Amino acid sequence: MCGVTDVAGRGAEISIEPVSDKRGRKAFVDLGRAFSDRLEHFVPQIRSEQIELVDPAKNPFFGHARVQLFIAMRSGQPVGRISAHIDELALAMPANQGFGPGTGFFGYFDAEDEAVARALLATAEGWLAGQGMQRVLGPISLSIWEEPGLLIRGQDHPPMMMMGHHPAHYAGWIEAAGYARAKTLYTYDLDITNGFGPLVQRLVQSGLRNERINVRRVDKSRWDQEVATILAILNDAWSDNWGFVPFTPAEVAYAGKKLRPIIHEELNMIAEVDGRPVAFMLTWPDANSALEKIKGKLFPFGWIHMLRWLRHPKGAGMRVPLMGVLKELHNTRMAGTLAFMMIEAIRIEAITKFQSTRGELGWVLEDNQGMVAIADTIRSTVNREYAIYERALG
């Protein structure tokens, strides 16, 4: 435990307690849920799933990471939380891709006031420095593939699944502690009931006439093989992106198990050229619309509602969290053709089978020119903005 004087002058010392056991992890999650419950438009998530994400025995991220969770206390009451973590795979990445040697992270950031925020950030920085890190990035909770960034713009509407939702004042507290923005991430909102413009239609029709191209649905009857195919494309397609960290085999298996219940074959596509998989696009019905109704609680009867919703999520919004094309096709007409073919095929299925009207694309890196161009071409608009901050240590 480390004590930090309350600079806000409340007359009570802030103590930062490390989390070291199952009970502490549950308290850490419950504290985050209590903070989130205060936010307008927040959607409660399933508690057991949140606990699993911070459990070293269950989340394979811990297989290549060092993680320390902290809870802030004042006058015997919890008033904030933070994680400090080091991803060994991120340390091995080139520094010009955002991470690299000496880079640690903070995440799961919640604070009652600015004094607590300062104390938590200082504690995370101290732990990272003690582990030999020279730089800290955050918030990233915990993996870059989970919930990266702090919500800067978009608090006026509910988030889709696996998107963070934070109060606007957190940004000021982090910046006042000496952090500068390292990267901006966007999500794009799209009315999918409107057809796309002539350029997209020409590319789609051209692709349909090309006998080399086959855009097919994901086949859940051979799910493990399909997951391996998708993540192999992803690890190649995203390998030069800022913040990229490859999936490990254990994470591939974990992701496949977690995603299977929300996968509808009609909404997920793999594109092949000459019989070889070269691109994919994943689309998930927004489970937050169902979680909001059950307040994130599966028991005693929430699981019945969730099961019915999963079978046929009628009217749900659709989120596109991931898409990718092999690097060898980047900056080619073929890449654009495949992307728009998959988008159009999924759009039609979402409307006709699921009666959906809205889609969301992202997150998208601010400088990912290819994805930004696609988002602009299909006439989507930015609806949420996230920031990842950085600070030198020492």
Side-chain angles (χ1 to χ4, degrees):
M1 181 187 299
C2 55
V4 181
T5 301
D6 188 337
V7 298
R10 290 175 181 264
E13 183 182 77
I14 300 169
S15 63
I16 310 296
E17 302 182 357
V19 172
S20 59
D21 56 17
K22 181 177 180 180
R23 181 178 180 182
R25 290 192 295 272
K26 288 182 177 180
F28 183 87
V29 167
D30 287 340
L31 180 58
R33 292 173 67 87
F35 272 99
S36 297
D37 283 344
R38 306 175 186 178
L39 302 179
E40 187 177 9
H41 301 302
F42 180 76
V43 180
Q45 302 298 291
I46 297 173
R47 180 174 179 266
S48 60
E49 295 286 330
Q50 292 179 302
I51 292 172
E52 185 171 311
L53 286 174
V54 295
D55 187 342
K58 295 183 178 179
N59 185 348
F61 174 77
F62 286 81
H64 54 84
R66 290 170 269 163
V67 180
Q68 181 60 63
L69 309 178
F70 297 97
I71 294 176
M73 303 292 293
R74 183 165 54 201
S75 301
Q77 298 299 315
V79 290
R81 65 172 191 162
I82 200 168
S83 67
H85 49 284
I86 300 165
D87 185 343
E88 302 295 344
L89 297 181
L91 294 179
M93 300 306 295
N96 62 2
Q97 285 185 233
F99 296 166
T103 299
F105 306 92
F106 78 87
Y108 289 120
F109 175 78
D110 284 299
E112 188 70 39
D113 52 48
E114 187 171 358
V116 175
R118 289 281 187 107
L120 286 166
L121 290 167
T123 299
E125 292 163 8
W127 185 86
L128 291 169
Q131 299 282 319
M133 299 298 103
Q134 293 92 44
R135 173 174 172 254
V136 57
L137 279 167
I140 296 177
S141 310
L142 287 166
S143 164
I144 189 69
W145 300 107
E146 292 172 12
E147 288 190 7
L150 181 80
L151 182 64
I152 301 299
R153 174 163 59 101
Q155 285 90 351
D156 59 346
H157 61 278
M160 283 199 173
M161 61 181 297
M162 293 183 67
M163 300 300 297
H165 196 70
H166 315 106
H169 56 262
Y170 279 3
W173 293 350
I174 291 173
E175 291 167 7
Y179 284 78
R181 193 180 299 206
K183 190 62 65 173
T184 300
L185 317 174
Y186 295 123
T187 63
Y188 289 82
D189 184 76
L190 176 66
D191 179 353
I192 64 173
T193 63
N194 294 324
F196 300 129
L199 172 61
V200 174
Q201 294 302 327
R202 285 197 300 270
L203 287 172
V204 170
Q205 292 304 314
S206 173
L208 291 173
R209 291 192 298 268
N210 189 333
E211 294 182 357
R212 298 177 60 204
I213 297 175
N214 177 43
V215 173
R216 64 171 179 83
R217 298 174 177 179
V218 164
D219 183 355
K220 288 181 73 173
S221 70
R222 49 192 185 100
W223 176 240
D224 290 345
Q225 181 180 339
E226 296 284 66
V227 170
T229 296
I230 289 168
L231 292 176
I233 297 172
L234 175 67
N235 277 341
D236 177 83
W238 285 48
S239 60
D240 292 335
N241 284 7
W242 186 95
F244 172 77
V245 177
F247 277 93
T248 66
E251 287 172 314
V252 170
Y254 184 76
K257 180 181 178 181
K258 289 294 182 181
L259 293 179
R260 197 179 198 283
I262 62 172
I263 292 293
H264 292 263
E265 293 179 332
E266 305 92 332
L267 300 172
N268 298 272
M269 301 288 168
I270 293 176
E272 300 169 338
V273 175
D274 298 327
R276 176 189 173 212
V278 297
F280 74 92
M281 179 174 172
L282 298 183
T283 305
W284 306 336
D286 180 27
N288 276 4
S289 60
L291 290 172
E292 189 170 21
K293 291 181 180 180
I294 66 171
K295 306 301 181 185
K297 298 177 180 179
L298 290 179
F299 301 102
F301 304 113
W303 66 272
I304 299 174
H305 177 77
M306 282 301 300
L307 185 59
R308 289 174 178 169
W309 182 90
L310 285 168
R311 288 175 177 170
H312 191 66
K314 183 178 180 180
M318 297 291 171
R319 182 184 170 212
V320 179
L322 292 171
M323 64 181 297
V325 181
L326 290 179
K327 279 196 299 185
E328 66 193 64
L329 294 177
H330 287 188
N331 303 314
T332 67
R333 181 184 176 88
M334 177 67 78
T337 297
L338 297 176
F340 290 123
M341 289 178 71
M342 291 187 291
I343 291 170
E344 177 66 354
I346 292 170
R347 184 187 74 86
I348 292 172
E349 293 284 1
I351 294 170
T352 57
K353 182 167 183 178
F354 299 94
Q355 292 80 57
S356 298
T357 61
R358 176 179 172 246
E360 187 173 283
L361 177 69
W363 47 267
V364 175
L365 289 165
E366 61 183 327
D367 51 3
N368 185 334
Q369 296 179 358
M371 286 304 304
V372 171
I374 288 172
D376 289 342
T377 301
I378 61 176
R379 298 185 292 227
S380 59
T381 57
V382 173
N383 69 319
R384 295 174 78 82
E385 176 183 339
Y386 293 83
I388 295 177
Y389 292 94
E390 65 180 338
R391 186 176 187 273
L393 297 176

